[in-house]
């Protein structure tokens, strides 16, 4: 699943390719994908795509309210995202894709432009979690309204992270990938961040010293910025391979750790699994697989 860096690159790629194009029609191939019914998808017909944006792992395609109305654009000095103000005062439609799934797979939604170009939203795999919302305000999407702070926003400081972690008696791995706590980090980048921070994924969030918090903050921002830089300029179809190539421990169980050479291990976590390096992160001791030990009792 694409996380913050890939969605950031996807938003930039789509901004380049789709902004200024007029939507001729939009069709759902998989009805469960569209989570809103008012306005209907036909409301998009004839509208111009004016901008794209990212909210956590959500991708936002913004259309102009009034064809020919001329929206005012302003660049967000912090995030580099293009936002739109509608001088007409009416609602601006946002076609929001949660989360985008670049690559091949069964077709979910198809958008065709008046000039013959277009794009498909597809979802590979058996877990169907792709969701599309057509809304006047992105905050009408429950997942966006509930997002925690964005780690690439300049307002996300070590102090912000300290506040987030204070008193939280839960494992740091779960905290990092909870969208309601911090936006945009999923299973892959939480593994990468913890490996780079040389921290056990099972460490309790509340147990971090202020020095630990400052280091973790620097690693979160650095890891995401590096991945954003690697993905920048890539087309949607190349993002998955680039993400995979940049990962040091995630999805690499059984392979040598690129830092110390120890074997990367895997342990079950929540509804999936996490990967880590025992030498770098847990003092050389493998983490107990709770699911396994429960089964064996
Ligand atoms: Zn290692």
């Amino acid at each position: 699943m694409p996380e913050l860096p890939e969605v950031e690159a996807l938003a930039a790629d789509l901004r380049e390719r789709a902004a200024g194009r007029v939507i001729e029609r939009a069709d759902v191939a998989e009805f469960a994908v569209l989570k809103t019914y008012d306005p209907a998808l036909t409301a998009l017909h004839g509208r111009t795509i004016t901008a794209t944006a990212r909210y956590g792992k959500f991708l936002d395609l913004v259309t102009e309210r009034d064809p020919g109305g001329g929206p005012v654009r302003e660049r967000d000095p912090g995030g580099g995202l293009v936002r739109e103000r509608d001088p007409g005062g009416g609602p601006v439609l946002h076609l929001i894709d949660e989360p985008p799934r670049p690559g091949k797979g069964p077709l979910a939604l198809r958008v065709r432009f008046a000039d013959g170009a277009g794009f498909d939203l597809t979802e590979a795999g058996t877990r169907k979690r792709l969701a599309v919302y057509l809304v006047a305000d992105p905050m009408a999407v429950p997942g966006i309204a509930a997002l925690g702070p964005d780690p690439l926003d300049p307002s996300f400081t070590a102090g912000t992270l300290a506040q987030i972690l204070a008193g939280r008696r839960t494992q740091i791995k779960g905290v990092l990938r909870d969208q309601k706590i911090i936006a945009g980090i999923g299973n892959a980048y939480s593994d990468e961040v913890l490996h780079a921070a040389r921290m056990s994924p099972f460490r309790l969030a509340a147990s971090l010293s202020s020095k630990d918090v400052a280091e973790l903050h620097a690693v979160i921002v650095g890891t995401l910025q590096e991945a954003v830089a690697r993905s920048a300029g890539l087309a949607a179809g190349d993002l998955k391979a680039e993400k995979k190539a940049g990962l040091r421990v995630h999805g690499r169980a059984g392979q040598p750790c690129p830092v110390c050479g120890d074997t990367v291990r895997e342990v079950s976590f929540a509804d999936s699994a996490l990967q880590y390096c025992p030498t770098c992160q847990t003092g050389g001791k493998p983490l107990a697989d709770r699911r396994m030990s429960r089964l064996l009792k």
Side-chain angles (χ1 to χ4, degrees):
M1 186 194 290
E3 298 179 27
L4 185 157
E6 294 77 45
V7 180
E8 185 76 22
L10 199 51
D13 185 46
L14 269 173
R15 189 178 306 144
E16 191 106 317
R17 294 167 187 244
R21 294 192 195 255
V22 178
I23 296 171
E24 186 177 73
R25 57 179 301 137
D27 299 285
V28 276
E30 185 61 63
F31 284 102
V33 160
L34 188 63
K35 303 300 181 195
T36 52
Y37 57 90
D38 184 23
L41 268 187
T42 49
L44 287 171
H45 298 178
R47 286 176 189 262
T48 305
I49 292 183
T50 52
T52 65
R54 176 186 64 77
Y55 302 91
K57 296 189 272 185
F58 293 79
L59 174 70
D60 184 6
L61 281 174
V62 187
T63 68
E64 181 181 29
R65 182 178 183 269
D66 209 341
V72 178
R73 281 184 185 187
E74 62 177 19
R75 186 162 278 277
D76 178 345
L81 297 181
V82 175
R83 292 184 190 168
E84 187 184 48
R85 286 185 304 175
D86 181 17
V92 176
L93 286 178
H94 299 256
L95 178 63
I96 287 171
D97 160 28
E98 171 212 26
R101 308 269 182 157
K104 295 181 181 67
L107 180 65
L109 176 94
R110 171 163 285 171
V111 177
R112 283 291 160 262
F113 300 128
D115 62 7
F119 65 90
D120 290 342
L121 271 181
T122 60
E123 182 171 36
T126 47
R127 273 198 219 175
K128 297 297 181 193
R129 292 200 294 199
L130 182 75
V132 172
Y133 301 80
L134 191 57
V135 289
D137 177 359
M139 289 304 145
V141 177
I144 291 182
L147 282 176
D150 193 288
L152 290 191
D153 192 290
S155 68
F156 182 81
T157 61
T160 315
L161 184 61
Q163 274 180 359
I164 284 171
L165 301 182
R168 222 178 262 277
R169 312 267 328 146
T170 47
Q171 293 165 331
I172 189 71
K173 165 74 179 178
V175 170
L176 288 182
R177 65 168 212 176
D178 185 336
Q179 301 307 296
K180 295 189 181 76
I181 301 177
I182 300 172
I185 302 173
N187 205 22
Y189 287 102
S190 54
D191 280 352
E192 294 303 301
V193 162
L194 291 168
H195 178 252
R198 306 179 69 84
M199 190 176 287
S200 168
F202 287 175
R203 178 116 181 242
L204 288 184
S207 76
L208 270 66
S209 68
S210 47
K211 184 169 167 278
D212 293 335
V213 172
E215 283 171 13
L216 183 62
H217 173 265
V219 168
I220 290 172
V221 174
T223 302
L224 294 173
Q225 279 177 343
E226 263 175 47
V228 165
R230 280 199 310 269
S231 308
L234 292 180
D238 299 324
L239 287 171
K240 199 175 169 185
E242 173 52 45
K243 177 186 176 187
K244 206 160 172 256
L247 300 173
R248 293 182 181 142
V249 287
H250 183 77
R252 297 189 179 273
Q255 296 175 35
C257 166
V259 173
C260 72
D262 191 3
T263 305
V264 172
R265 297 204 183 224
E266 178 170 284
V267 67
S268 63
F269 184 83
D271 56 349
S272 58
L274 65 83
Q275 287 85 37
Y276 69 102
C277 168
T279 295
C280 290
Q281 295 173 259
T282 58
K285 278 199 294 186
L287 294 168
D289 198 318
R290 295 180 178 188
R291 196 173 295 166
M292 215 41 156
S293 44
R294 240 187 326 230
L295 279 173
L296 293 173
K297 265 176 201 160

